[in-house]
Amino acid sequence: FFHIEDETGTSEETGGRAGIQVYLYAADFPELALGNRVRVSGVTSQNRGEARIKLSNREAIEILGSGSALAQDIPLDAVGEATEARLVTVEALVESARSDEMKLAHGETVLRVASRERTGVSFAAIPSGSRVRVTGIVSESNGTYTLLPRSQSDISIIEMATDENSVATGIVKSSEPPTGLYGGILLLSMLATLGIWNARSRKDQDL
């Protein structure tokens, strides 16, 4: 699966944009790139609370052109239902980190950031107490929200905590190189046959 977004959102908090997951059981997607503008046709459903469009075959995806996937800067406590399936950027302190998971904290808000298989993302080099900027896709699982970076370059160190209490800045480097694009970590701008906001509205009606 992968994620797309368009301008059918109604929330000022999200800049009038909305996102949704696109799912194909066979994972037989055409060749896609970040920023592709696409039209998809399918049936709306949910997976662990996250809205998605379920496709019957790869022909349900039409590539219309290319562009850029731009993330929206939001505060940590704004990550939630309104930003589900959106590409966002947050800045916060690292509460804890291991190779496949990191927790960011700001005030009483704690957000889980996770590495998806085949992205090559690792958080092992980031000590607790560092301040970072992270770009990723907001994913929901049964009411819990997680930020999913697409690659190591989505993580930037603003201030790194060190044993000597000094500060360093830069890009976090992974011990494993990225292995390319992976379904579910893509974010594509969208011109959909079925507007995303209408699809997500159906989800709200089902709850």
Side-chain angles (χ1 to χ4, degrees), residues 14 66 86 161 163 170 182:
T14 62
S66 60
R86 292 282 322 284
D163 292 339
Y182 178 65

Side-chain angles (χ1 to χ4, degrees), residues 55-74:
L55 311 181
S56 58
N57 52 55
R58 62 182 292 163
E59 285 70 33
I61 304 172
E62 180 183 359
I63 301 175
L64 304 176
S66 60
S68 58
L70 301 177
Q72 179 186 7
D73 282 82
I74 63 172

Side-chain angles (χ1 to χ4, degrees), residues 21-192:
Q21 181 192 118
V22 179
Y23 175 79
L24 177 60
Y25 177 78
D28 182 27
F29 297 108
E31 186 174 348
L32 299 169
L34 297 179
N36 277 164
R37 187 168 180 81
V38 302
R39 179 185 286 119
V40 300
S41 301
V43 178
T44 56
S45 63
Q46 293 186 46
N47 179 41
R48 298 180 181 179
E50 182 171 341
R52 68 182 183 182
I53 299 176
K54 188 175 182 179
L55 311 181
S56 58
N57 52 55
R58 62 182 292 163
E59 285 70 33
I61 304 172
E62 180 183 359
I63 301 175
L64 304 176
S66 60
S68 58
L70 301 177
Q72 179 186 7
D73 282 82
I74 63 172
L76 203 66
D77 60 6
V79 174
E81 183 68 21
T83 56
E84 179 186 304
R86 292 282 322 284
L87 184 66
V88 302
T89 298
V90 299
E91 182 177 325
L93 291 175
V94 177
E95 183 177 79
S96 63
R98 62 189 191 198
S99 61
D100 62 345
E101 179 182 279
M102 175 170 65
K103 290 186 178 180
L104 303 181
H106 180 74
E108 298 181 355
T109 301
V110 177
L111 175 66
R112 178 175 177 261
V113 183
S115 171
R116 293 298 301 268
E117 184 182 2
R118 301 184 186 178
T119 62
V121 173
S122 174
F123 311 108
I126 310 175
S128 299
S130 300
R131 177 170 291 275
V132 296
R133 279 177 60 84
V134 182
T135 296
I137 298 169
V138 178
S139 177
E140 179 189 357
S141 179
N142 300 321
T144 299
Y145 295 92
T146 301
L147 192 63
L148 305 176
R150 302 161 301 169
S151 67
Q152 200 71 32
S153 62
D154 277 340
I155 307 167
S156 299
I157 299 173
I158 305 303
E159 296 181 355
M160 179 182 284
T162 68
D163 292 339
E164 295 77 20
N165 295 320
S166 61
V167 172
T169 61
I171 302 294
V172 181
K173 300 298 182 182
S174 172
S175 57
E176 301 179 32
T179 56
L181 300 178
Y182 178 65
I185 311 301
L186 293 174
L187 187 91
L188 313 171
S189 60
M190 173 188 180
L191 177 61

